Amino acid sequence: MIAQTLMDGLIAGSMIGLGAIGITLTYSILRFANFAHGDLISWSAYFALSISTLLGTLAPGLATSVAPFSFGWSLPIGLAASIVLTALLALAVDWLLFARLRRRGGAIIILVMAGFGAALALRSFLEFLFTSKPYYFTDALQIAHPLAGGARATADQLLALGLAVVLVALVHLILTRTAAGRAMRAVSENQALAGLAGIDVARTIRLVWMFGAALAAVAGVMTGLLVQIRPHMGLDLLLPLFAAAILGGIGSVPGAMLAGLIVGIAEALCVQFVGAEWRAAVSFVILVAILLLRPQGLFGKAAA
Amino acid sequence: MTVVPALQTKALVAGYERDLPIVRGVDLSVQPGELVAILGPNGAGKSTLVKAIAGTVPTFGGTVLLGGKDITAVPLHKRIGEGLAFVPQTENIFANLTIAENLHLAADVLAKALRPARLKKINAMFPDLAARPHLRAGLLSGGQRQMLALARALIVEPHVLILDEPSAGLSPKIVGSVFTMLKEINKSGVTLVLVEQNVRAALAIADRGVILVEGELRHDGRASTLMHDPLLAELYLGAQPARGAA
């Protein structure tokens, strides 16, 4: 029983972790909490849904399930297209809103409020286009395979978990071993000095938006695959995402993923032992506790 | 034959607000290979002048020329590629990055083929830094930070290197070694512009000194002359007149 709860928590937590990485990257570079990040997750799921449905209609063979998964090739293609489209959407929101406010020297609170506005607009537009009716990538039933300790998981769930682990490792390597990653970390620490060092700060900021959006796309599509697709799916994830980003320590990619897993497992344990109606409160309790006890998070550095 | 100045400003006006410029019409000319110290009382606009040249403070009038090329409108991140390096007074290293990452970051602007040789050269020049590549730069002492900031700037082999108060916050012993290093860098052919409160130390290594007062360039002369001019020392530099001076 407990092994299954942990497995459920790990799977949900891995998606929270992917979303939290986007929030932590944006926050560490632009210094504001982007409340529209959850809606990028929702939009990514609808992008993938639209493209995979279109592909399935044009070439029905692409929609046929590829064992052991519940989906056909139309979904990975839809995911790849969704990554690009979500990145473009994030860049468009930045260009239309946040970049203009930054140029005007807008205070952090203005950027945060703008983020709220963008989130509302994105969500409402999604609801206008697709209604609030839930959608599913597939209606195929999957058998959960037995794993160690009595836990069970479907191939889709294991894929989501594996994908999250690979992506975190990849992002961590990019940040620590490549010129683009060094530039992102430099810009996050000191934009003026980064400029003096020859780093194009505006380009680096665009790169961060694209990175965060790409990870949001994977989280959105996999959440849509494992649960369902709704315009409010990103909003429902927002509190866990922020809890994970803050618990992990702002700016820390491994921290965000580990914290995502902790939040996911805590939610699963709460559902199991306290009651499903308290699930949403778990992230809030974690958020408040970490802010009171260790505001810099698990891997963050204390303010000087 | 006329020598093109390595760095020149013409009627440069700069500051943080257009209506309240801090630098007011400065004409500065630095010859290739020269070491020029920019001196003056607190609030004279020395740091603002070099920041405007480097591109971190907006200019509202005049021009900045590097090797005769107008770079006034060149974006901040492209100035290093033009051969201009600037070491700010504070926050001049990336404290959360390791020593090696700081150096690699600086080398990233170079062509890939050039990077290994430049890093090797800098590591040979700064053995203390090379010995601890994986140490987080934020853990370095003040003097070591200044060395890392210098190393970062030198990787690109700039034509002109500007330093804003390199002695700030350092012990006298460390200041001595930093200034010795600066003189060596200058001797290797790099044109150096130095903003400094430590007047004597700066003039001791400089070829020329310029004195900025209230955002305007008031005096320009040989370092040795300025050093022994009691009136200038008393009026502008806050320095004790040299022993034996009239």
Side-chain angles (χ1 to χ4, degrees), chain A residues 11 14-15 155-168 222:
Chain A
I11 292 160
S14 62
M15 296 303 106
D156 288 0
Q157 288 174 322
L158 292 176
L159 174 70
L161 196 56
L163 203 54
V165 171
V166 169
L167 284 173
V168 170
M222 296 318 282

Side-chain angles (χ1 to χ4, degrees), chain A residues 3-5 7-8 11 68-70 140-148 150-159 226:
Chain A
Q4 187 59 50
T5 305
M7 176 52 70
D8 292 344
I11 292 160
F69 305 110
S70 69
L141 281 175
Q142 268 203 308
I143 306 290
H145 303 286
L147 303 167
R152 299 176 77 90
T154 65
D156 288 0
Q157 288 174 322
L158 292 176
L159 174 70
L226 301 180

Side-chain angles (χ1 to χ4, degrees), chain B:
Chain B
M1 199 173 76
T2 314
V3 178
V4 177
L7 178 71
Q8 198 174 15
T9 67
K10 289 183 179 173
L12 191 68
V13 179
Y16 297 90
E17 290 174 50
R18 188 175 287 274
D19 301 336
L20 206 64
I22 296 168
V23 173
R24 299 184 295 172
V26 168
D27 290 308
L28 174 72
S29 186
V30 182
Q31 298 308 310
E34 218 181 2
L35 200 167
V36 173
I38 299 178
L39 310 166
N42 280 331
K46 308 182 293 291
S47 288
T48 309
L49 171 63
V50 288
K51 284 176 184 171
I53 293 170
T56 59
V57 162
T59 56
F60 304 124
T63 50
V64 179
L65 303 164
L66 191 74
K69 182 182 173 186
D70 187 349
I71 60 158
T72 320
V74 171
L76 175 66
H77 68 277
K78 288 190 175 165
R79 295 193 183 201
I80 191 106
E82 298 288 341
L84 176 68
F86 176 58
V87 178
Q89 180 184 351
T90 55
E91 297 182 355
N92 50 21
I93 55 161
F94 295 103
N96 291 328
L97 271 59
T98 63
I99 290 173
E101 284 174 333
N102 266 278
L103 297 176
H104 279 276
L105 183 84
D108 284 339
V109 295
L110 297 168
K112 263 189 181 172
L114 285 175
R115 292 175 200 169
R118 291 286 177 87
L119 284 165
K120 199 175 165 188
K121 190 175 168 184
I122 286 295
N123 281 332
M125 207 170 159
F126 298 89
D128 284 355
L129 299 175
R132 292 172 293 174
H134 303 301
L135 184 71
R136 197 161 68 81
L139 299 174
L140 294 173
S141 68
Q144 290 167 331
R145 280 175 182 234
Q146 204 58 262
M147 289 299 175
L148 179 57
L150 261 179
R152 282 190 349 88
L154 289 173
I155 276 191
V156 295
E157 294 191 350
H159 303 308
V160 177
L161 173 61
I162 304 176
L163 298 108
D164 189 4
E165 306 257 7
S167 73
L170 302 182
S171 67
K173 189 182 165 192
I174 303 292
V175 169
S177 55
V178 168
F179 276 63
T180 305
M181 172 71 83
L182 292 180
K183 191 64 195 171
E184 281 171 19
I185 292 165
N186 175 242
K187 278 182 182 167
S188 73
V190 180
T191 306
L192 230 77
V193 177
L194 192 67
V195 166
E196 195 45 70
Q197 288 282 0
N198 192 337
V199 176
R200 292 210 163 273
L203 289 178
I205 62 163
D207 300 312
R208 195 155 58 89
V210 295
I211 300 176
L212 214 63
V213 179
E214 294 175 353
E216 292 170 2
L217 206 154
R218 294 276 173 86
H219 290 274
D220 185 338
R222 306 280 326 151
S224 51
T225 314
L226 283 176
M227 180 93 99
H228 298 100
D229 187 326
L231 184 64
L232 288 177
E234 203 178 326
L235 275 178
Y236 300 123
L237 308 181
Q240 296 296 316
R243 190 173 293 170

Side-chain angles (χ1 to χ4, degrees), chain A residues 4 7 10 13 20 63 73 105-106 119 131 135-136 141 157 187-188 202 209 218 221 228 293:
Chain A
Q4 187 59 50
M7 176 52 70
L10 279 177
W73 281 107
T131 74
Y135 286 91
Y136 299 88
L141 281 175
Q157 288 174 322
V187 170
S188 112
W209 278 113
V218 176
V221 172
Q228 59 180 201
L293 301 172

